Amino acid sequence: MENFINMIIKNLEGNGFPDKKVSLPTEKMYEVADSKGFSFNAVLDEMKANHQIETEIGPEKTVFFKSLPEQASNPFEGMDQMSMMKQAQEMMSKMDPEELKKMQDMIMNMSPEEKEELMKKGKGMGLI
């Protein structure tokens, strides 16, 4: 199974992974895994456990992306304001348009109280 996983990872890297999310056709992936005697779901579990690769399985495509390390709850902790802004811009530049839209929609759907709390947190972090 590890050879098959390495083949998938090499294919993903050829398409910009891990800096970008990469999708592969879902049905084809199930077929190829099956032809090699593997369960595609087991392959994905193995990739998550041993390679920190997450997936979102859709009917047409399976999206692969690198797991975020579980470190500090605040990714900006201990940074000065300029470093923080640079980090935030870098994180947003790596988001695909769909992710940015979800973030915008989430903010637009917040209650006035939630927006006020978000602004307080931003001020506390020196972003505003």
Side-chain angles (χ1 to χ4, degrees):
M1 183 184 301
E2 196 60 33
N3 286 339
F4 180 55
I5 290 172
N6 289 334
M7 186 178 77
I8 294 171
I9 293 171
K10 189 171 187 169
N11 188 336
L12 296 173
E13 289 172 344
N15 288 289
F17 185 85
D19 295 330
K20 295 180 181 180
K21 288 184 174 183
V22 176
S23 64
L24 298 173
T26 299
E27 188 174 338
K28 181 75 173 168
M29 294 305 297
Y30 275 101
E31 289 171 1
V32 173
D34 187 55
S35 73
K36 295 186 178 295
F38 305 122
S39 156
F40 184 53
N41 291 332
V43 169
L44 296 180
D45 289 343
E46 186 77 15
M47 291 175 78
K48 182 177 183 175
N50 296 327
H51 299 276
Q52 295 72 48
I53 297 175
E54 300 279 342
T55 55
E56 292 174 2
I57 302 173
E60 298 293 320
K61 60 185 178 178
T62 299
V63 180
F64 296 81
F65 54 98
K66 196 73 172 164
S67 300
L68 295 175
E70 292 186 27
Q71 33 187 59
S73 60
N74 180 354
F76 304 108
E77 196 170 338
M79 291 185 172
D80 62 51
Q81 190 169 352
M82 288 301 292
S83 297
M84 206 180 309
M85 291 299 290
K86 185 176 179 183
Q87 174 86 16
Q89 288 175 331
E90 188 177 313
M91 288 169 69
M92 289 179 66
S93 72
K94 290 182 180 178
M95 289 180 169
D96 61 36
E98 189 176 301
E99 288 176 308
L100 285 172
K101 175 87 171 100
K102 282 182 187 176
M103 187 183 293
Q104 289 172 337
D105 290 345
M106 181 187 76
I107 292 169
M108 295 305 291
N109 292 325
M110 286 181 167
S111 69
E113 295 81 20
E114 290 171 320
K115 287 180 183 177
E116 185 177 329
E117 183 63 28
L118 182 63
M119 294 298 280
K120 284 181 185 176
K121 287 181 180 179
K123 285 179 184 174
M125 291 171 39
L127 295 174
I128 301 171

